[in-house]
Amino acid sequence: MAVEEKITFCRICEATCGLKVKVDGSTLISVEPDEDHVVSQGYACVKGTRFESVQNSPDRVTAPMKRVGQEWQEISWNQALEEIGQKIRAMVDKHGPQSFSHFLGSPTGAHLVLPIFRNAFYEGLGSHRFYGTATTDTVNKFRVNEDMYGQAMRLTFPDVEHVKFYMVIGANPAVSGNTLFHLPRAVTRMKAIVKRGGRCVFVNPRRIESAQAGEHVFIRPDTDVYFLAAYCNEIIKRGGVDHERVERYMKGYQRLAKLVEPWTAEKQESVTGVPADTLKDLVSSHIKLGAAALYMATGVNQGRNGTLCFWLLECINAITGNLDSRGGTVMGDGMIDMAVESKKAGGFTDLNLDRRSDGLPCVVGQHPSNMFAHDILSDAPDRVRGTIIEASNPIIACSRPDRMVEALKSLELVVSIDLFKNEAADLAHYILPATSFLERADLPYALQSFTANTPMPYITYTDAVVKAPPGVRNEWWIYSRLAAAAKVRMFNNPVLSVLSKLNARFADSDIGLLRRLALTPEKLIDGMLKKSGLPGRKDMLEKHPHGLLLGDTRVNNFLGTERVLTDDGLVNLAPDAICAVFEDKMDADYLFDLNNRDRFKLFGKREIKTINSWMGNSDRLVKAQSNYAWLHPRDGEQLGVKNDDLVTVRSAHGEVEIPVKLSDDVMPRSVAIPHGWGHKYAKSLPHAAQHPGVNSNTLAGDGIENTEKLSGMSHLSGILVDIERSRHEARSAL
Ligand SMILES: Nc1nc2c(c(=O)[nH]1)N[C@H]1C(S)=C(S)[C@@H](COP(=O)(O)OP(=O)(O)OC[C@H]3O[C@@H](n4cnc5c(=O)[nH]c(N)nc54)[C@H](O)[C@@H]3O)O[C@H]1N2
Ligand SMILES: Nc1nc2c(c(=O)[nH]1)N[C@H]1C(S)=C(S)[C@@H](COP(=O)(O)OP(=O)(O)OC[C@H]3O[C@@H](n4cnc5c(=O)[nH]c(N)nc54)[C@H](O)[C@@H]3O)O[C@H]1N2
Ligand code: SF4
Ligand SMILES: [Mo]
C-alpha cells in the first residue's frame, strides 16, 4: 500500500497541537507538527511526534483478554461482552446498582462521543458510582463554578492574547500545556505579554521551564490560600475594585471583603515565603496595567485548599473588573454552551451533595478517588464489588498504591478498557482494547465547549487517520454492546435503546449495507457541526484541514446575561459553603503551617517526555529514568547528599527511596518528585519495568482525612515529609 500523508491533531494533552502523520495502510510511520495548523503553527512536543512508539508498541493489547488464574487468554469480543454483561447483571441484581462502579482516567477527556454512551450505560444500570482522576486534578474548579456562576461547566479562561498582567500560579504551561483551556505555543504567547509592556509572573515552589517567558516568585508548597487571601485584601485596600461592576452584576462583596481583611501581605509572608513587598508590587502592577488575569492549575488544586484558592482567584479576577473583559478572564461560548445544556439536562455535571454518607460531595458526579479503595474494602452492604477502569491507572495516579492494589484484588469483577495492560489492568479479570486517539474521528476537547476555551477560538475536525487493529474497538461501541449483554436500557427510552444496540451491531457487520447504515461518530459529529452553523465534516476536511479560526475571543457576553446560571443571575462572590470552610479552617491551617515551616514539603514535577503514567513504556520517550527527588543545594548539604545519592523520603503514609538531584531552582525545605513512576507492578509493560522509578503517591494519604471537603480532591501536593540520607548505596546505572 502507498504511504499516505494525513492531517490530524494530537489529543495527548489539552494543547491539541496540529499533526501531520504518514500512514502505510494500518501502520503509523511518522508524526510531525502541522506547520499550517491555524493555532499551533508548527509546534508539537516530543510526546506527539514520537507517538508512533506508543501506537505501534508490541505491548499494546489488540484483542480482548481474559485472566484465567495467572494466565491471560485471548478471547472473542462476543465471549468477552457476553461474560462481562452477564456478570454485571448478576451483581447488580443481587447487590443493587451501586455495587458496580466506574473509574475514569484522564485520556477519556479527548473523546467526543464516548461520554454519551458511557453515561447512557451507567444511567440505564442505575449506578452513580463514578470515580476517576478528575478528583486528582481539577474538580475544585468545577465546585467553585457551580457555587459562583451556577453551573460546574461555567468556566473562565484567561484572554492571553490581550492580557497585560498575567499571573500563573501552580501551573507549568511550557511542559504541560494548560488545563481546562487550550494554549498551544504557550511560551511564545506568554513572551508576547512582556513584549507588549506587560508582566507575566509564575508563582511556584520551583523556577519552572515556563518562567523563561516572564518572572518567577517562589512560594512554599500548599500555602497559596494565604497568598491569595492577602492579595485579594491588598487589591481591596488599594482601591483596585471596580465597584460599579461589582454592584451591578455580583453579590456577596461585603462578606468577601470582611473575610480577607485579616490577611495582610506581612502575615502571609511568614508561611508562604513570598515577601510582603513582592505581593504589594504585584498588586500595584495588577491595578496599573488594567487588563489582568490570574490562572491556577494542578499545583494549587492538589493542595489542602484547592477550592478556597480557586474561589479567591476567581473573586480577584471578578472584583477588579477583569471578568468578562478584554484581556481579563472570559467565558467562551463555543459551539455548544456546555453549561447551559448541562443545566437543562441535569445529570452528570451536577454537584451531588447527598450521594455519600460521609458528607463528601460528588462534583461533576465524581466520587472522590481517595475513597475508591475505602468504598471497595468497606463492609457496607452497598460496597463496590465490581468496576470498569477506563483509560486509567489508579495504582500509580492515586494515593496509597498499596491499598489500591489490595482493593482491586478483592473485587469480584474488574474490566479494564485501555490500550495497554497497565498495572491496574494486570489485576483485572478482562481487558477490552480501545482505539488510540489517531484511530477515531473527533473534535477537540468537549469539556471546553469544543474549542471555545482558547484565547484563539477555532474549530477543527479529524477523521480517524490510522486504521485500528482488527481486534480493537471504539468505546462507544463497547458500551452499546455491553448494554445489550447486561440487559441495560440505554437513553431511558426503549426505542432509542434498541436502535443504539442495533447500531453497534451494524457498525461492524460483515454486510456492507448495514455498515453504511450505522450512525457512526463521523455522522454524529457532522450533524453537530452543521447544527451549530459550522461547515460539516466534508467541508472541514476538504476546506479547513488545518482548522478554521472563529475570530477574536468574545467579551461582554456573560455578566448580566442569562449565561450567569445562579438563581438570581448574579455572580456569587461569597457562597455560603465556601465561606463557612474559610471561616472554619484558615486560622488553624495557618498555625499548623507556621509550626511546620521548617519541615520539607513534597510537590510534583511533570516532565515533557511523559504524561502521567502512560508514556513510560515508550522506548523513544523514556530512555532512562528521570524520577529524582529535586532538592535545593543547601538542603542537600545539610542532609549530606550530592547528585545521585539515595535519600529516604518519609511521610505519615509511606516512604520511598530515591536518588537526588540538587538545583537552586527548587525552593529550600521543599522537594519535587515527578509522579507517574513506580512501575514495580508492571508485569506487562516491559520497557517501563526496566526504568521503574518510584511512585511518589506512596507518600500521599487516602481516605476522608486526606480529601478536600468542598470538592473531594485528593491532597497530593504540599505533603509534609522527612528526608534522610539512605543507608543504601546509589545504584550506578540509573
Ligand atoms: N508533559 C506533560 N504534560 C502534561 C501532563 C504530564 O504528565 N506531562 N499531564 C496532563 C494533565 S493530566 C494535567 S491535569 C495537566 C496539568 O497541568 P499543570 O497544572 O500545568 O501541571 P504541572 O506542570 O504539574 O504544573 C503544576 C505546577 O505547580 C507547581 N506546584 C506544586 N505545588 C504547588 C503549590 O502548592 N503552589 C504553587 N503555587 N505551585 C505548586 C509545580 O512546581 C508545577 O510547576 O498537564 C497535562 N499535560
Ligand atoms: N502525586 C501526583 N499524583 C498525580 C498527579 C500529580 O500531579 N501528582 N496528577 C494527577 C492527574 S492531574 C491525573 S489526570 C492523574 C492521571 O492518572 P490517569 O488518569 O489514571 O492516567 P494514566 O496513569 O496516565 O493512565 C492512563 C491510561 O489510559 C490509557 N489510554 C491512553 N489513551 C487511551 C484511550 O484513548 N482510550 C483508552 N481506553 N485508554 C487510553 C493509557 O494506556 C494508560 O494506561 O494522575 C494524578 N496523580
Ligand atoms: S503539547 Fe500536548 S497536544 Fe501538543 S504535541 Fe505535545 S502532547 Fe500533543
Ligand atoms: Mo490531569
Side-chain angles (χ1 to χ4, degrees):
M1 220 182 237
V3 174
E4 280 181 276
E5 199 173 272
K6 298 181 181 180
I7 301 299
T8 185
F9 55 86
C10 183
R11 279 149 277 173
I12 298 171
C13 88
E14 292 177 61
T16 327
C17 305
L19 300 178
K20 195 163 66 184
V21 297
K22 287 204 178 99
V23 183
D24 188 353
S26 56
T27 309
L28 175 68
I29 297 175
S30 65
V31 184
E32 285 170 41
D34 174 10
E35 300 287 336
D36 300 315
H37 187 277
V38 289
V39 176
S40 59
Q41 298 164 346
Y43 175 81
C45 82
V46 282
K47 295 184 291 306
T49 55
R50 296 186 188 172
F51 190 71
E52 98 291 341
S53 60
V54 177
Q55 170 79 22
N56 302 332
S57 166
D59 306 314
R60 217 180 131 179
V61 181
T62 52
M65 311 278 283
K66 175 180 182 176
R67 182 158 58 80
V68 182
Q70 286 318 303
E71 295 296 309
W72 283 97
Q73 293 176 354
E74 231 175 85
I75 56 172
S76 70
W77 274 102
N78 274 343
Q79 184 187 344
L81 294 165
E82 277 310 316
E83 288 186 15
I84 297 168
Q86 282 169 20
K87 285 180 182 171
I88 296 176
R89 174 48 56 206
M91 184 177 291
V92 165
D93 284 349
K94 190 164 171 205
H95 302 289
Q98 306 318 329
S99 61
F100 193 70
S101 75
H102 192 276
F103 196 100
L104 194 64
S106 62
T108 53
H111 196 161
L112 180 69
V113 298
L114 161 62
I116 306 172
F117 291 88
R118 182 200 306 122
N119 291 342
F121 175 77
Y122 274 86
E123 261 163 21
L125 201 63
S127 171
H128 60 62
R129 274 258 172 72
F130 269 84
Y131 299 79
T133 50
T135 55
T136 66
D137 75 3
T138 201
V139 285
N140 56 310
K141 291 192 173 179
F142 295 122
R143 173 69 205 247
V144 170
N145 296 339
E146 178 82 43
D147 288 15
M148 282 182 74
Y149 309 125
Q151 219 285 327
M153 296 290 136
R154 188 45 91 218
L155 187 70
T156 59
F157 67 93
D159 187 11
V160 180
E161 292 296 289
H162 304 99
V163 72
K164 298 225 180 81
F165 180 84
Y166 187 40
M167 187 154 78
V168 175
I169 312 175
N172 189 6
V175 167
S176 302
N178 276 285
T179 60
L180 302 182
F181 87 105
H182 289 270
L183 193 66
R185 299 189 74 85
V187 174
T188 316
R189 292 182 204 288
M190 295 186 302
K191 278 185 175 164
I193 302 169
V194 180
K195 272 200 197 130
R196 57 178 181 260
R199 284 181 82 175
C200 185
V201 186
F202 298 89
V203 182
N204 202 301
R206 186 168 71 84
R207 195 178 299 111
I208 46 173
E209 295 75 359
S210 305
Q212 59 179 294
E215 334 157 30
H216 171 253
V217 173
F218 278 115
I219 189 164
R220 181 158 164 79
D222 199 16
T223 60
D224 305 81
V225 73
Y226 318 112
F227 172 76
L228 286 162
Y231 196 98
C232 188
N233 183 26
E234 193 68 19
I235 287 270
I236 293 172
K237 281 200 310 204
R238 300 271 283 278
V241 176
D242 182 337
H243 285 286
E244 198 206 311
R245 225 171 152 88
V246 168
E247 263 151 49
R248 225 209 255 154
Y249 301 122
M250 305 172 201
K251 66 174 178 189
Y253 172 72
Q254 295 303 339
R255 186 166 182 195
L256 168 72
K258 193 155 177 284
L259 284 175
V260 296
E261 205 183 351
W263 297 93
T264 60
E266 288 72 21
K267 183 168 177 179
Q268 65 83 40
E269 175 174 345
S270 327
V271 286
T272 63
V274 179
D277 286 345
T278 302
L279 186 148
K280 289 178 185 173
D281 172 56
L282 292 171
V283 168
S284 297
S285 288
H286 188 134
I287 296 171
K288 194 171 116 232
L289 288 167
L294 268 50
Y295 165 74
M296 63 174 247
T298 55
V300 186
N301 297 343
Q302 294 170 343
R304 289 160 301 165
N305 291 307
T307 303
L308 293 182
C309 288
F310 191 57
W311 161 65
L312 288 165
L313 182 131
E314 287 295 273
C315 284
I316 295 166
N317 286 328
I319 63 174
T320 49
N322 284 297
L323 169 62
D324 197 24
S325 271
R326 184 54 73 224
T329 52
V330 292
M331 203 64 92
D333 43 10
M335 223 172 100
I336 288 176
D337 192 323
M338 283 286 278
V340 169
E341 295 307 316
S342 307
K343 184 107 182 173
K344 266 195 248 156
F348 92 104
T349 64
D350 283 352
L351 169 66
N352 296 283
L353 295 171
D354 49 10
R355 280 188 178 163
R356 299 189 55 85
S357 55
D358 55 15
L360 288 172
C362 296
V363 178
V364 289
Q366 257 193 41
H367 289 256
S369 55
N370 246 4
M371 301 308 293
F372 187 52
H374 178 272
D375 292 352
I376 293 171
L377 296 170
S378 109
D379 48 16
D382 72 339
R383 69 173 175 273
V384 173
R385 292 162 195 267
T387 196
I388 290 177
I389 300 176
E390 185 186 314
S392 186
N393 195 354
I395 294 177
I396 302 236
C398 301
S399 326
R400 286 296 300 261
D402 56 335
R403 190 127 64 197
M404 192 61 82
V405 168
E406 184 193 345
L408 291 179
K409 277 186 173 166
S410 77
L411 287 172
E412 291 163 34
L413 176 63
V414 180
V415 179
S416 164
I417 306 181
D418 208 288
L419 310 181
F420 289 92
K421 205 193 288 169
N422 67 23
E423 285 85 342
D426 251 323
L427 302 179
H429 302 95
Y430 295 89
I431 303 175
L432 303 178
T435 49
S436 78
F437 69 86
L438 292 176
E439 295 160 352
R440 56 189 186 238
D442 237 323
L443 300 174
Y445 283 74
L447 263 183
Q448 302 166 353
S449 302
F450 315 107
T451 71
N453 280 14
T454 167
M456 291 183 76
Y458 72 104
I459 184 85
T460 177
Y461 166 81
T462 181
D463 264 348
V465 291
V466 184
K467 201 168 176 317
V472 161
R473 292 288 183 281
N474 194 315
E475 277 119 319
W476 77 266
W477 181 92
I478 298 178
Y479 283 105
S480 307
R481 289 289 310 272
L482 214 47
K487 299 191 173 48
V488 166
R489 181 192 280 181
M490 304 275 275
F491 304 110
N492 200 18
N493 177 315
V495 179
L496 274 184
S497 181
V498 170
L499 286 179
S500 66
K501 290 170 190 170
L502 267 181
N503 191 44
R505 289 267 179 201
F506 286 6
D508 69 343
S509 160
D510 293 334
I511 305 166
L513 176 69
L514 293 183
R515 276 204 311 276
R516 280 192 295 279
L517 276 176
L519 183 60
T520 54
E522 288 81 353
K523 289 184 195 164
L524 271 171
I525 297 174
D526 185 46
M528 283 176 62
L529 285 167
K530 287 179 180 155
K531 195 165 169 250
S532 310
L534 291 161
R537 166 180 171 261
K538 199 160 161 282
D539 279 350
M540 284 303 301
L541 288 175
E542 283 169 9
K543 297 187 189 147
H544 313 288
H546 310 285
L548 169 64
L549 286 171
L550 299 173
D552 217 339
T553 42
R554 287 187 53 207
V555 292
N556 298 324
N557 65 346
F558 176 61
L559 293 176
T561 76
E562 287 180 354
R563 301 181 71 218
V564 182
L565 295 168
T566 50
D567 292 342
D568 52 10
L570 297 173
V571 167
N572 190 355
L573 298 172
D576 283 337
I578 294 180
C579 293
V581 171
F582 187 95
E583 278 159 1
D584 183 48
K585 77 195 287 268
M586 281 292 278
D587 289 336
D589 278 11
Y590 181 78
L591 203 61
F592 180 84
D593 283 328
L594 208 54
N595 288 335
N596 286 288
R597 68 181 158 178
D598 294 328
R599 286 185 65 193
F600 282 101
K601 271 192 174 184
L602 169 72
F603 67 104
K605 181 174 179 294
R606 273 169 225 270
E607 299 173 298
I608 194 78
K609 289 189 179 170
T610 57
I611 181 148
N612 300 314
S613 81
W614 72 286
M615 299 270 154
N617 205 42
S618 157
D619 55 358
R620 287 201 67 207
L621 286 166
V622 174
K623 299 207 160 100
Q625 77 106 329
S626 53
N627 177 232
Y628 296 99
W630 292 81
L631 286 167
H632 191 274
R634 211 172 63 207
D635 289 325
E637 203 178 312
Q638 258 181 26
L639 294 166
V641 290
K642 48 190 191 327
N643 279 342
D644 300 319
D645 282 350
L646 284 180
V647 287
T648 301
V649 182
R650 194 173 288 119
S651 75
H653 316 287
E655 65 176 56
V656 297
E657 197 173 59
I658 184 169
V660 160
K661 287 280 180 212
L662 302 177
S663 161
D664 59 13
D665 286 341
V666 180
M667 197 177 187
R669 307 317 280 174
S670 67
V671 53
I673 303 184
H675 79 286
W677 294 85
H679 295 288
K680 77 173 183 189
Y681 300 102
K683 286 194 234 126
S684 311
L685 303 172
H687 184 74
Q690 268 180 43
H691 307 287
V694 300
N695 184 348
S696 60
N697 282 329
T698 307
L699 300 166
D702 64 354
I704 194 161
E705 59 283 11
N706 299 294
T707 304
E708 199 260 327
K709 305 291 179 295
L710 286 162
S711 67
M713 276 290 292
S714 303
H715 178 205
L716 298 174
S717 194
I719 296 166
L720 284 172
V721 292
D722 297 309
I723 305 180
E724 62 186 36
R725 199 195 149 91
S726 165
R727 280 174 281 115
H728 301 119
E729 284 303 305
R731 286 154 287 170
S732 51
L734 282 167

